[in-house]
Amino acid sequence: MSEPTVPPATTTPAPFIGRIVEWIATVVIPFVTRYFKPSALLTVLVLAIGGSILSRLPVGRQLGHGIGYVALIAVSVAISWSFWLGLVNFVAASLWLVPYHPSWERVYHVVVWTNRQIGHVELWFVWGVLALTHTNSLAWQLPLVAAVVLLGEALCGLVAMLLWNDATRVGSGTFYYRRRPVIYATTIIGGTLVLALTPGQIRIAAPLFVAIALGLLVRLIKLGTRVAEKRTKNFSHQAKRDSFRDRQAQVARRTDWLFRLGVALVFIAVGVTSAVMRRAHARDERGVVSDRTECQDEPGGPAGPGDVALWILADTQLHELRGPRFDGQLDLMDAFVPVAIRPVELDLLSEASFLHFARMFDTLSATHPGLRWAHLGDFADLGCRGEVDRFTDLFAGVAPGAHALAGLAPGNHDSTFTGNFAWHPDWDRVCVSGRADKVASDEILAGLLSTGIDPARGGHRLVKKPPSFLALGFSRRSALVSASVLGRARDGGLTRDVIGVFLDSSDQNNFEIGIAGLQGAISRQQIDAVVELVGGLRAQAADPAYIIFFHHPLKEINAAGRKQIDRLVKLLDDGQSRVLALLSAHTHVSQRRSACVGGRQLDEIVVGSTIDPPQEAALLLVGPDADGNLSLSVRTIPAVARAGATCAPDEGVTAEACNDVLTRLHAAPACARLLRVEAGSATCEALQADTSFGERFGSLDEGNHATSPGIIRQNQSLRAGRLLACLCRDGACAVTDPLDEQVVARELRNSVRESNPGDTGATRAAARRTEMTCLAWAASLVQSHKARGMTMADALRCGADDATLAPAKRFVVSPRSEQCE
């Protein structure tokens, strides 16, 4: 008889499910109902719905990309303030270690409350950045940011309750105490993820997160050891601690919302201040508005060709196109900063403008013996290594003989992303050729100076500096300075050597606001190197006079940097008025300014840009005026000379020649798509009308704007293809990828080479050079009027009569010794 079958033992899930239900009923539900405020949940829901609606609109799609880009800008700016943020954070955290005493209870409440709020801001900052950058859709960005700010601490509290399996009363002092380590740990995780956005730039971003970690470490020590509480009997009893925490919790419940409001107002204030600064900067770039269209020629100045001549270029901004586009190039950003993205035709033809000015140098050398070059910075645009390399190769290919270079003044675009930021996740991705940080950029340019400056007449110094204390020892920093004897000039009965001193206003040594395009800097170490460099020249010079060059105009250099320039002027003057003038660039608009420098009034001449309209270089002359006294003049020379708008007849390509080019291009079938003027196109006057910020922003929702970086690149590829189809007609060049700027530049350079000077080939090459100069100039007009929808065809037909273009100018400076403070 067989044994009865015993069914296998089974475990009933009832006790386990019961415990889950009990935990939900006693812990989770009370927590959610008491701590997840309905108003916060409703706000997140409303923003999710609103973001979903906005993300379907053209302007909303751009905003999704834009706010993520702005969030990363906030990180970059914060990196510049790392030392001070870390100092405040560490001091606040250290005060929490001071033992409690009943007579100081209110002070202790303030200390605890302050540390709580700092911890909240750090949490919001790192996770807010991640929320805004993980996606480009407002449907996710808006509710996620709201959840970080309104629900982040609550979620940390829920995690704390799960970890400690604790039903501590929500909102009690003990509850707030229990969740602190979770908030700190969450901040550390978020900061690590932000650093992971740029593995190649961890060294740059590390100071900010070290600044955050310093405070977090002290607070974790406080929470982990309770050192302050155990050191005194005044706060050793558990009941006393619980009572204090409950009072602190009451303060938190009454004031946390107020703190959130304050943080929001600070961010709004910072945004408004940044916008005001940027608009003021844009007004400076436009210069003094004038209705004059003829040459603005000041009387006086050197008689004849002058004794000393210098050919000055600035803001060439060669642009690397091979990489992907990024959020900062959307029309939304261009509405705020009109040079956020230039027409692709202008980027492709920026080299043509430079080569045109190189040919003008050759022409002027015949009438100005000893003419030399100088460049006042922004050789590059995005801060890519390939851009700086390309400029040095370009210069080496056109330099008229050895030792033609007088000096260089590095600009902000040569060593920061888009000319502004020393850290940005897009930098590595966009620069296929690699990032050109400050040290890398300066080393490349130093190589150019080594071969370009005659060692018997000048030299340069690459000032590499030890890690900055303000950057907590992480940054790679340098400054590149140069000086040379420009020539010898007559002054009354004397003969004086004129020395050019080239400073580096992109020096990152002293304090900066974090936006290199808005503020320049010059360090003491740099000026010390300049003084040593000039000292060698001064010892052999005859009664020297000086001209000081730098990239940022004086008013845009920070206070510490201006003090260093004051110090340099006083040293060079040596009790006399030896410094003749200051020359700068950066604004892309030629202007005269005056400032009190080194205790006396000095003139500053700002030279224009070779890439943006009206595309100009400058000729500096030093020599005796009609009375025999030393004087200086700076004459701007545009790429295309319009009738009455130039100051001398030796200014190369004329507007009439560009009209002839247009006629020839219209006869070429390959240029038909480039030169097509659509039916119903606006008049020239309408296309050239100024646009306000409101108009530019309002047009973003019209549906005719690229709403993502990918679409921008597609549109640029189409436009570049039309341009190159015209330029490469009749087999003049061959390009497979119209956005490979290196191949395009090489092919275009080859297409204008004279294989047999004097034959028809040489004539054809000269005609092509004129053609490319005119097309580059037209592309700059598109940049000027793109907000009105100007095309290349419009620019070519309207450019000769464009009254918005500033005429050429001739500034005259005579040495003066007016004292000032």
Side-chain angles (χ1 to χ4, degrees):
M1 187 173 175
S2 62
E3 295 287 337
T5 303
V6 179
T10 59
T11 304
T12 174
F16 176 74
I17 295 176
R19 286 195 297 271
I20 293 293
V21 170
E22 179 184 4
W23 179 78
I24 292 174
T26 58
V27 177
V28 177
I29 292 179
F31 182 89
V32 171
T33 56
R34 295 188 60 182
Y35 200 60
F36 282 86
K37 297 179 181 179
S39 59
L41 295 171
L42 181 62
T43 300
V44 173
L45 178 61
V46 168
L47 288 176
I49 296 171
S52 180
I53 295 171
L54 283 174
S55 65
R56 300 174 189 274
L57 304 175
V59 66
R61 287 194 287 274
Q62 290 207 54
L63 281 170
H65 288 275
I67 62 176
Y69 184 72
V70 170
L72 293 171
I73 289 174
V75 177
S76 182
V77 173
I79 289 170
S80 299
W81 293 72
S82 298
F83 176 80
W84 304 107
L85 292 173
L87 182 63
V88 170
N89 195 18
F90 181 75
V91 169
S94 298
L95 289 174
W96 203 4
L97 296 178
V98 176
Y100 167 83
H101 192 279
S103 60
W104 293 91
E105 180 165 321
R106 290 188 177 182
V107 174
Y108 203 66
H109 272 302
V110 171
V111 170
V112 175
W113 184 88
T114 300
N115 278 277
R116 285 186 60 254
Q117 305 309 334
I118 291 175
H120 295 168
V121 170
E122 292 170 342
L123 177 72
W124 300 339
F125 178 74
V126 296
W127 285 96
V129 168
L130 292 170
L132 289 173
T133 57
H134 92 289
T135 177
N136 295 315
S137 173
L138 291 175
W140 287 100
Q141 290 168 317
L142 295 183
L144 282 176
V145 169
V148 167
V149 175
L150 300 177
L151 304 177
E153 300 144 48
L155 291 171
C156 288
L158 178 59
V159 171
M161 295 180 70
L162 292 174
L163 289 175
W164 278 277
N165 193 24
D166 191 353
T168 300
R169 181 171 59 87
V170 173
S172 67
T174 301
F175 169 77
Y176 282 120
Y177 176 80
R178 288 279 174 83
R179 76 176 186 182
R180 299 318 300 167
V182 178
I183 289 177
Y184 301 152
T186 306
T187 300
I188 292 171
I189 294 171
T192 303
L193 293 175
V194 172
L195 280 174
L197 293 174
T198 54
Q201 300 177 56
I202 287 179
R203 184 186 183 95
I204 302 171
L208 175 61
F209 295 95
V210 169
I212 293 174
L214 284 174
L216 286 178
L217 178 62
V218 176
R219 293 184 190 101
L220 284 171
I221 291 173
K222 163 69 178 179
L223 293 174
T225 63
R226 303 182 187 177
V227 171
E229 295 179 3
K230 291 182 177 179
R231 271 190 294 179
T232 172
K233 62 182 180 181
N234 296 318
F235 204 42
S236 59
H237 195 275
Q238 182 65 42
K240 290 183 179 180
R241 290 198 294 271
D242 290 343
S243 175
F244 178 86
R245 290 171 184 161
D246 285 339
R247 292 195 298 275
Q248 180 64 213
Q250 293 174 8
V251 174
R253 287 193 295 270
R254 290 196 300 265
T255 60
D256 276 2
W257 70 271
L258 190 62
F259 180 77
R260 288 188 177 89
L261 177 62
V263 169
L265 292 175
V266 167
F267 276 109
I268 292 172
V270 170
V272 171
T273 301
S274 300
V276 169
M277 290 174 64
R278 189 65 192 99
R279 294 299 298 278
H281 186 67
R283 284 195 296 272
D284 286 343
E285 289 178 350
R286 287 195 296 270
V288 179
V289 178
S290 172
D291 57 1
R292 294 182 58 181
T293 57
E294 71 277 7
C295 165
Q296 299 180 16
D297 192 355
E298 297 179 356
D307 295 335
V308 177
L310 185 67
W311 185 237
I312 304 173
L313 304 183
D315 298 287
T316 304
Q317 293 190 241
L318 301 177
H319 184 91
E320 186 167 303
L321 285 165
R322 285 172 292 159
R325 304 302 168 259
F326 58 97
D327 296 335
Q329 294 176 314
L330 290 167
D331 289 337
L332 171 67
M333 295 301 175
D334 205 56
F336 287 91
V337 185
V339 293
I341 183 170
R342 291 184 173 89
V344 68
E345 298 89 348
L346 184 56
D347 288 329
L348 287 173
L349 291 170
S350 56
E351 231 184 65
S353 299
F354 179 89
L355 292 172
H356 168 68
F357 288 120
R359 293 190 296 274
M360 292 185 71
F361 176 91
D362 292 336
T363 301
L364 290 167
S365 295
T367 55
H368 297 84
L371 181 66
R372 295 168 71 196
W373 287 74
H375 199 293
L376 302 190
D378 281 1
F379 317 95
D381 189 26
L382 296 174
C384 300
R385 188 181 185 92
E387 295 170 342
V388 186
D389 281 331
R390 185 177 159 204
F391 175 83
T392 58
D393 293 343
L394 184 63
F395 181 85
V398 301
H403 307 319
L405 188 60
L408 301 174
N412 51 297
H413 279 270
D414 303 322
S415 56
T416 57
F417 183 56
T418 70
N420 287 304
F421 309 111
W423 175 93
H424 201 282
D426 289 330
W427 200 357
D428 290 297
R429 191 170 56 89
V430 169
C431 289
V432 176
S433 60
R435 289 181 295 109
D437 65 14
K438 183 59 176 159
V439 173
S441 176
D442 283 351
E443 287 175 343
I444 296 171
L445 296 174
L448 180 59
L449 288 168
S450 296
T451 58
I453 295 180
D454 184 351
R457 301 179 66 185
H460 72 279
R461 295 286 188 276
L462 177 56
V463 186
K464 289 189 177 181
K465 305 164 195 167
S468 169
F469 177 66
L470 291 179
L472 302 179
F474 286 91
S475 64
R476 278 166 37 103
R477 300 168 307 118
S478 62
L480 180 63
V481 296
S482 51
S484 64
V485 179
L486 304 179
R488 183 163 289 183
R490 291 162 292 160
D491 183 10
L494 302 175
T495 300
R496 307 179 64 182
D497 283 318
V498 179
I499 298 176
V501 179
F502 296 82
L503 304 181
D504 185 349
S505 64
S506 296
D507 189 334
Q508 299 170 352
N509 184 53
N510 55 26
F511 178 72
E512 53 181 333
I513 62 173
I515 306 177
L518 289 182
Q519 187 184 74
I522 292 175
S523 66
R524 171 174 286 275
Q525 296 99 313
Q526 177 186 158
I527 297 301
D528 290 343
V530 168
V531 171
E532 178 185 349
L533 181 61
V534 172
L537 300 176
R538 187 171 189 165
Q540 304 174 21
D543 194 19
Y546 302 91
I547 304 172
I548 301 177
F549 302 85
F550 37 83
H551 179 71
H552 293 78
L554 190 64
K555 67 181 293 186
E556 296 181 19
I557 294 176
N558 63 22
R562 288 196 297 271
K563 288 181 179 178
Q564 294 306 319
I565 294 178
D566 282 345
R567 182 166 74 96
L568 177 63
V569 169
K570 289 178 180 177
L571 289 170
L572 296 180
D573 274 347
D574 193 22
Q576 304 178 48
S577 299
R578 294 185 178 276
V579 177
L580 303 180
L582 311 174
L583 268 81
S584 60
H586 185 63
T587 68
H588 295 208
V589 176
S590 53
Q591 301 174 50
R592 170 200 283 278
R593 299 177 178 182
S594 182
C596 183
V597 187
R600 67 185 182 92
Q601 207 69 24
L602 270 177
D603 288 291
E604 178 183 16
I605 306 300
V606 183
V607 302
S609 163
T610 67
I611 186 171
D612 287 332
Q615 290 196 327
E616 57 188 11
L619 178 64
L620 181 150
L621 299 177
V622 183
D625 60 16
D627 297 325
N629 298 317
L630 189 67
S631 65
L632 174 151
S633 71
V634 177
R635 177 163 63 90
T636 66
I637 301 180
V640 173
R642 295 171 294 130
T646 58
C647 299
D650 56 358
E651 300 185 334
V653 175
T654 64
E656 290 74 17
C658 288
N659 285 335
D660 293 340
V661 166
L662 179 59
T663 300
R664 291 199 305 272
L665 295 182
H666 271 300
C671 299
R673 293 177 64 201
L674 178 69
L675 301 180
R676 181 183 297 126
V677 178
E678 302 295 337
S681 294
T683 64
C684 291
E685 291 77 10
L687 289 169
Q688 293 164 359
D690 192 18
T691 54
S692 66
F693 168 75
E695 289 174 315
R696 294 196 300 271
F697 188 81
S699 70
L700 297 177
D701 205 27
E702 293 176 357
N704 59 346
H705 291 271
T707 55
S708 72
I711 295 176
I712 290 175
R713 201 178 198 283
Q714 291 175 12
N715 292 346
Q716 286 186 330
S717 183
L718 290 173
R719 290 174 57 172
R722 293 171 190 165
L723 174 69
L724 293 173
C726 181
L727 286 173
C728 295
R729 65 189 184 279
D730 302 327
C733 50
V735 177
T736 56
D737 180 1
L739 295 182
D740 188 335
E741 78 289 341
Q742 289 187 331
V743 172
V744 170
R746 184 181 66 245
E747 289 292 316
L748 293 181
R749 285 198 299 270
N750 290 337
S751 72
V752 298
R753 283 182 177 157
E754 300 178 16
S755 55
N756 295 300
D759 65 4
T760 56
T763 303
R764 191 161 48 246
R768 283 187 57 77
R769 287 195 292 267
T770 298
E771 175 183 307
M772 284 196 283
T773 299
C774 292
L775 287 173
W777 179 67
S780 77
L781 302 185
V782 175
Q783 161 65 17
S784 184
H785 304 300
K786 61 189 175 183
R788 292 289 183 185
M790 180 173 277
T791 64
M792 286 289 288
D794 295 326
L796 285 166
R797 68 184 172 91
C798 300
D801 300 317
D802 192 341
T804 67
L805 289 181
K809 306 177 184 71
R810 181 173 174 271
F811 304 105
V812 173
V813 176
S814 297
R816 50 180 174 164
S817 55
E818 301 172 25
Q819 299 300 304
C820 59
E821 295 182 359

